[in-house]
Protein backbone atom coordinates (compact mmCIF):
# COMPACT_ATOMS: atom_id res chain seq x y z
CA UNK A 1 0.00 0.00 0.00
CA UNK A 2 2.92 2.32 0.70
CA UNK A 3 4.23 1.76 -2.83
CA UNK A 4 0.96 2.96 -4.29
CA UNK A 5 1.08 6.00 -2.02
CA UNK A 6 4.71 6.68 -3.00
CA UNK A 7 3.79 7.10 -6.68
CA UNK A 8 4.98 3.60 -7.49
CA UNK A 9 1.60 2.02 -8.18
CA UNK A 10 2.87 -0.59 -10.64
CA UNK A 11 5.30 -1.88 -8.00
CA UNK A 12 2.35 -2.31 -5.63
CA UNK A 13 0.35 -4.62 -7.94
CA UNK A 14 2.04 -7.94 -6.99
CA UNK A 15 1.66 -7.15 -3.28
CA UNK A 16 -1.96 -6.15 -3.71
CA UNK A 17 -2.67 -9.33 -5.67
CA UNK A 18 -1.08 -11.36 -2.88
CA UNK A 19 -3.15 -9.48 -0.30
CA UNK A 20 -6.35 -10.22 -2.25
CA UNK A 21 -5.41 -13.90 -2.64
CA UNK A 22 -5.16 -14.25 1.15
CA UNK A 23 -7.94 -11.79 2.02
CA UNK A 24 -10.37 -11.72 -0.93
CA UNK A 25 -12.76 -9.37 0.89
CA UNK A 26 -10.11 -6.70 1.60
CA UNK A 27 -12.14 -3.79 0.22
CA UNK A 28 -9.44 -1.12 0.44
CA UNK A 29 -6.98 -3.41 -1.33
CA UNK A 30 -9.52 -4.12 -4.09
CA UNK A 31 -10.28 -0.40 -4.51
CA UNK A 32 -6.59 0.43 -4.76
CA UNK A 33 -5.88 -2.43 -7.15
CA UNK A 34 -8.86 -1.48 -9.32
CA UNK A 35 -7.69 2.13 -9.40
CA UNK A 36 -4.22 1.07 -10.51
CA UNK A 37 -5.67 -1.17 -13.20
CA UNK A 38 -7.90 1.57 -14.58
CA UNK A 39 -5.62 4.61 -14.19
CA UNK A 40 -2.12 3.25 -14.70
CA UNK A 41 -2.41 -0.02 -16.59
CA UNK A 42 -5.57 0.74 -18.61
CA UNK A 43 -6.76 -2.80 -17.91
CA UNK A 44 -10.51 -2.27 -17.77
CA UNK A 45 -11.31 -5.98 -17.45
CA UNK A 46 -9.14 -6.36 -14.35
CA UNK A 47 -10.50 -3.12 -12.87
CA UNK A 48 -14.08 -4.28 -13.45
CA UNK A 49 -13.29 -7.59 -11.77
CA UNK A 50 -11.99 -5.75 -8.68
CA UNK A 51 -15.05 -3.52 -8.42
CA UNK A 52 -17.45 -6.42 -8.95
CA UNK A 53 -15.63 -8.33 -6.20
CA UNK A 54 -16.18 -5.40 -3.87
CA UNK A 55 -19.88 -5.38 -4.70
CA UNK A 56 -20.15 -9.12 -4.05
CA UNK A 57 -18.90 -8.55 -0.49
CA UNK A 58 -20.52 -5.15 0.04
CA UNK A 59 -23.41 -4.67 -2.43
CA UNK A 60 -23.91 -1.04 -1.41
CA UNK A 61 -20.26 0.04 -1.43
CA UNK A 62 -20.58 3.41 -3.13
CA UNK A 63 -16.92 3.80 -4.06
CA UNK A 64 -16.80 0.35 -5.67
CA UNK A 65 -20.09 0.97 -7.49
CA UNK A 66 -19.04 4.42 -8.71
CA UNK A 67 -15.73 3.05 -9.95
CA UNK A 68 -17.57 0.29 -11.81
CA UNK A 69 -19.64 3.04 -13.46
CA UNK A 70 -16.38 4.74 -14.46
CA UNK A 71 -15.26 1.51 -16.16
CA UNK A 72 -18.43 1.69 -18.29
CA UNK A 73 -17.68 5.32 -19.17
CA UNK A 74 -14.12 4.40 -20.13
CA UNK A 75 -15.53 1.70 -22.41
CA UNK A 76 -17.92 4.28 -23.87
CA UNK A 77 -20.90 2.17 -22.72
CA UNK A 78 -22.78 5.31 -21.76
CA UNK A 79 -26.28 3.82 -21.39
CA UNK A 80 -24.91 1.26 -18.97
CA UNK A 81 -22.88 3.96 -17.17
CA UNK A 82 -25.97 6.16 -16.83
CA UNK A 83 -28.00 3.31 -15.32
CA UNK A 84 -25.13 2.50 -12.96
CA UNK A 85 -24.73 6.13 -11.87
CA UNK A 86 -28.50 6.51 -11.41
CA UNK A 87 -28.39 3.50 -9.09
CA UNK A 88 -25.36 4.89 -7.24
CA UNK A 89 -27.18 8.20 -6.83
CA UNK A 90 -30.19 6.34 -5.46
CA UNK A 91 -27.98 4.65 -2.88
CA UNK A 92 -26.05 7.82 -2.00
CA UNK A 93 -28.17 10.86 -2.89
CA UNK A 94 -25.95 13.07 -0.69
CA UNK A 95 -22.82 12.43 -2.83
CA UNK A 96 -22.67 15.41 -5.19
CA UNK A 97 -19.88 13.95 -7.33
CA UNK A 98 -22.11 11.02 -8.29
CA UNK A 99 -24.94 13.31 -9.33
CA UNK A 100 -22.49 15.48 -11.35
CA UNK A 101 -21.05 12.44 -13.13
CA UNK A 102 -24.55 11.09 -13.81
CA UNK A 103 -25.60 14.43 -15.34
CA UNK A 104 -22.49 14.54 -17.53
CA UNK A 105 -23.11 11.02 -18.81
CA UNK A 106 -26.80 11.79 -19.42
CA UNK A 107 -25.87 14.88 -21.45
CA UNK A 108 -23.40 12.90 -23.54
CA UNK A 109 -25.98 10.16 -24.05
CA UNK A 110 -28.63 12.68 -25.17
CA UNK A 111 -26.26 13.99 -27.85
CA UNK A 112 -25.43 10.47 -29.01
CA UNK A 113 -29.11 9.51 -29.14
CA UNK A 114 -29.58 12.17 -31.84
CA UNK A 115 -27.09 10.38 -34.09
CA UNK A 116 -28.32 7.84 -36.67
CA UNK A 117 -29.02 4.43 -35.20
CA UNK A 118 -26.29 2.98 -37.41
CA UNK A 119 -23.69 5.38 -35.99
CA UNK A 120 -20.81 3.42 -34.40
CA UNK A 121 -20.71 5.86 -31.50
CA UNK A 122 -24.40 5.25 -30.76
CA UNK A 123 -24.06 1.49 -31.11
CA UNK A 124 -21.14 1.47 -28.66
CA UNK A 125 -23.01 3.71 -26.20
CA UNK A 126 -25.87 1.20 -26.00
CA UNK A 127 -23.83 -1.99 -26.30
CA UNK A 128 -24.34 -4.47 -23.43
CA UNK A 129 -27.07 -2.25 -21.97
CA UNK A 130 -29.62 -4.14 -19.88
CA UNK A 131 -32.20 -1.78 -18.33
CA UNK A 132 -32.68 -3.95 -15.24
CA UNK A 133 -28.99 -4.53 -14.48
CA UNK A 134 -28.96 -1.79 -11.84
CA UNK A 135 -32.54 -1.85 -10.70
CA UNK A 136 -33.37 -1.07 -7.11
CA UNK A 137 -33.31 -4.32 -5.21
CA UNK A 138 -34.33 -3.13 -1.77
CA UNK A 139 -37.97 -3.45 -0.71
CA UNK A 140 -37.49 -0.41 1.53
CA UNK A 141 -37.30 1.87 -1.49
CA UNK A 142 -40.20 4.24 -1.84
CA UNK A 143 -42.44 3.44 -4.82
CA UNK A 144 -42.13 6.88 -6.42
CA UNK A 145 -38.34 6.67 -6.62
CA UNK A 146 -38.45 3.12 -8.01
CA UNK A 147 -41.14 4.05 -10.54
CA UNK A 148 -39.13 7.08 -11.69
CA UNK A 149 -36.01 4.97 -12.15
CA UNK A 150 -38.00 2.32 -14.03
CA UNK A 151 -39.47 4.98 -16.32
CA UNK A 152 -35.96 6.40 -16.94
CA UNK A 153 -34.80 2.91 -17.93
CA UNK A 154 -37.75 2.50 -20.30
CA UNK A 155 -37.10 5.93 -21.83
CA UNK A 156 -33.43 5.09 -22.44
CA UNK A 157 -34.42 1.80 -24.04
CA UNK A 158 -36.90 3.59 -26.35
CA UNK A 159 -34.29 6.19 -27.31
CA UNK A 160 -31.91 3.41 -28.21
CA UNK A 161 -34.47 1.90 -30.58
CA UNK A 162 -35.07 5.18 -32.44
Amino acid sequence: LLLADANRPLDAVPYLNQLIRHHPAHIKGLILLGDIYINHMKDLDAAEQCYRSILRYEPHNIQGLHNLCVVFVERKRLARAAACLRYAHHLAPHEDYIQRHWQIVQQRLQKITKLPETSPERQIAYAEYEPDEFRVLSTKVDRKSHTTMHEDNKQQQQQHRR
Side-chain angles (χ1 to χ4, degrees):
L1 299 178
L2 293 174
L3 290 170
D5 289 340
N7 288 327
R8 294 175 48 198
L10 299 180
D11 294 339
V13 171
Y15 299 105
L16 288 168
N17 278 320
Q18 184 177 2
L19 172 69
I20 301 308
R21 261 194 308 280
H22 294 289
H23 305 281
H26 195 284
I27 302 302
K28 288 183 181 182
L30 286 165
I31 290 279
L32 186 53
L33 188 57
D35 289 351
I36 292 170
Y37 281 138
I38 198 169
N39 295 315
H40 299 281
M41 300 174 74
K42 306 300 180 203
D43 187 342
L44 299 177
D45 291 336
E48 181 174 348
Q49 187 176 357
C50 288
Y51 302 136
R52 287 196 182 277
S53 291
I54 291 166
L55 296 172
R56 268 194 306 279
Y57 294 107
E58 292 183 11
H60 295 119
N61 183 295
I62 299 305
Q63 189 176 8
L65 179 60
H66 174 265
N67 291 359
L68 178 62
C69 302
V70 170
V71 169
F72 299 145
V73 171
E74 290 292 318
R75 288 189 167 139
K76 298 180 177 24
R77 304 298 198 251
L78 297 183
R80 201 170 181 195
C84 181
L85 286 163
R86 179 173 44 265
Y87 181 63
H89 176 67
H90 171 79
L91 293 178
H94 57 282
E95 296 291 354
D96 292 336
Y97 73 97
I98 292 174
Q99 184 167 3
R100 278 194 315 275
H101 292 171
W102 180 28
Q103 289 171 341
I104 290 167
V105 169
Q106 283 180 308
Q107 289 169 355
R108 287 174 60 189
L109 199 53
Q110 286 173 351
K111 288 179 186 175
I112 288 171
T113 301
K114 294 175 183 171
L115 296 173
E117 195 170 318
T118 56
S119 160
E121 189 176 4
R122 183 170 171 168
Q123 290 179 350
I124 290 169
Y126 284 93
E128 303 169 2
Y129 173 60
E130 295 292 332
D132 291 335
E133 180 178 12
F134 294 102
R135 72 187 192 290
V136 179
L137 301 174
S138 172
T139 56
K140 295 179 184 175
V141 175
D142 70 311
R143 292 296 281 168
K144 182 179 178 187
S145 175
H146 184 274
T147 301
T148 301
M149 288 176 62
H150 184 68
E151 291 302 315
D152 286 347
N153 282 343
K154 279 177 139 177
Q155 187 177 26
Q156 273 188 348
Q157 211 172 21
Q158 288 170 350
Q159 285 176 344
H160 172 60
R161 290 184 184 133
R162 287 187 204 147

